[in-house]
Amino acid sequence: MNRQIHTLRALLLAFTALVAGAVHAQCSRPINVPMSATGLSVLVNGDAVSGIYPDLLRVLSEKEGCTFAMSGVPRARLEVLFESGRADLLMPASKTPKRDALGTFVALIQNRALLMSIQSKRPAIGSVRELLEQTSLKVALVRGFDYGQPYQDLVATLGQQGRLILEVDALSVARLLKAGTADVTIMAPTILAGAVQSDERVRDMVDTLRMEALEELPWGSSGVYLSNTSLSAADKATLQGALERAARSGDVWRSFQRYYSPAALRGGIRPLP
């Protein structure tokens, strides 16, 4: 009798372990997630990827049983990889109509791109029209960033005016601002603040940044795009549910608060309503 009980217990434990494994083995394959350096949201150091969003994926990996293959790439290449179906996720990413045609968006935070520069006595700028009228100002932007159609229209016009400088990342933009080669930039303030905080060559800019909202660039959503072409329906549903739960829990907003000062968040990042 004892032997039978022991055997039954062993079978029960094995079955329980099997069920538990099935519950956590949610994704059918490793999820390919190339990322580009984005402030403190994504930090790339050689083959190592860290920051707010890699941390989030590692937590989801433990909770959901999905494996995320993260790697560092330039931002412009990241967009190409997602558009061609060679990236399963695009993150972090602002919601735009162009990307909506390629993937399913999951909002994690609200953000707003601001006009930023080193503090000066320059007259205030509150709209794209006013920026375009200031023809002496050189504008440095990160190639591949997208904050919607008004932003894309501005990029095109600045290019036509010969005032546009495109760089590979926010740190390169910060260095141009400090050197006086560029006068202003436009991006989410946490991206520039993160780049400035992370490099001693421009760290003294932290307390000298001037931030101005442009009326054509309102608050929008930032989060993750799930590829419509590379992901199976089951994997996509699993990832969407996991990310939505993470957003509702407030964990993403608390991560931003841990990584950034209140000054860096003010006016550019806020939790979902």
Side-chain angles (χ1 to χ4, degrees), residues 155-214:
V155 172
T157 303
L158 289 171
Q160 293 167 2
Q161 293 179 344
R163 301 167 52 194
L164 179 63
I165 304 171
L166 289 175
E167 285 292 341
V168 296
D169 55 33
L171 177 58
S172 300
V173 169
R175 294 179 68 182
L176 290 180
L177 291 176
K178 184 173 181 178
T181 306
D183 300 292
V184 299
T185 186
I186 299 172
M187 65 181 79
T190 49
I191 297 176
L192 186 61
V196 167
Q197 289 175 222
S198 302
D199 194 289
E200 62 181 12
R201 293 169 295 182
V202 290
R203 194 169 293 143
D204 57 351
M205 290 174 58
V206 171
D207 297 322
T208 67
L209 291 176
R210 176 178 179 178
M211 303 184 187
E212 299 167 280
L214 303 178

Side-chain angles (χ1 to χ4, degrees), residues 11-102:
L11 289 172
L12 181 60
L13 287 172
F15 178 75
T16 301
L18 182 63
V19 170
V23 168
H24 289 289
Q26 293 287 343
C27 295
S28 65
R29 60 170 177 81
I31 305 302
N32 184 32
V33 192
M35 293 180 167
S36 62
T38 311
L40 300 180
S41 295
V42 179
L43 297 164
V44 178
N45 184 12
D47 295 331
V49 182
S50 59
I52 293 172
Y53 286 94
D55 287 354
L56 171 64
L57 292 186
R58 291 183 179 107
V59 170
L60 291 184
S61 180
E62 294 177 1
K63 289 183 177 180
E64 307 295 335
C66 293
T67 299
F68 297 97
M70 293 179 273
S71 59
V73 299
R75 183 70 198 191
R77 175 163 172 72
L78 175 57
E79 294 282 345
V80 172
L81 290 173
F82 188 72
E83 290 171 5
S84 61
R86 288 177 288 168
D88 296 321
L89 305 184
L90 178 66
M91 67 185 301
S94 296
K95 191 178 191 305
T96 68
K98 179 182 177 182
R99 291 169 179 162
D100 286 342
L102 302 169

Side-chain angles (χ1 to χ4, degrees), residues 183-255:
D183 300 292
V184 299
T185 186
I186 299 172
M187 65 181 79
T190 49
I191 297 176
L192 186 61
V196 167
Q197 289 175 222
S198 302
D199 194 289
E200 62 181 12
R201 293 169 295 182
V202 290
R203 194 169 293 143
D204 57 351
M205 290 174 58
V206 171
D207 297 322
T208 67
L209 291 176
R210 176 178 179 178
M211 303 184 187
E212 299 167 280
L214 303 178
E215 62 184 44
E216 295 89 347
L217 301 178
W219 285 95
S221 296
S222 179
V224 184
Y225 272 96
L226 309 175
S227 175
N228 286 340
T229 57
S230 67
L231 289 169
S232 69
D235 285 347
K236 188 175 173 183
T238 295
L239 293 168
Q240 184 172 352
L243 290 164
E244 288 175 348
R245 288 191 293 275
R248 289 195 301 268
S249 72
D251 287 347
V252 179
W253 173 242
R254 284 188 288 272
S255 291

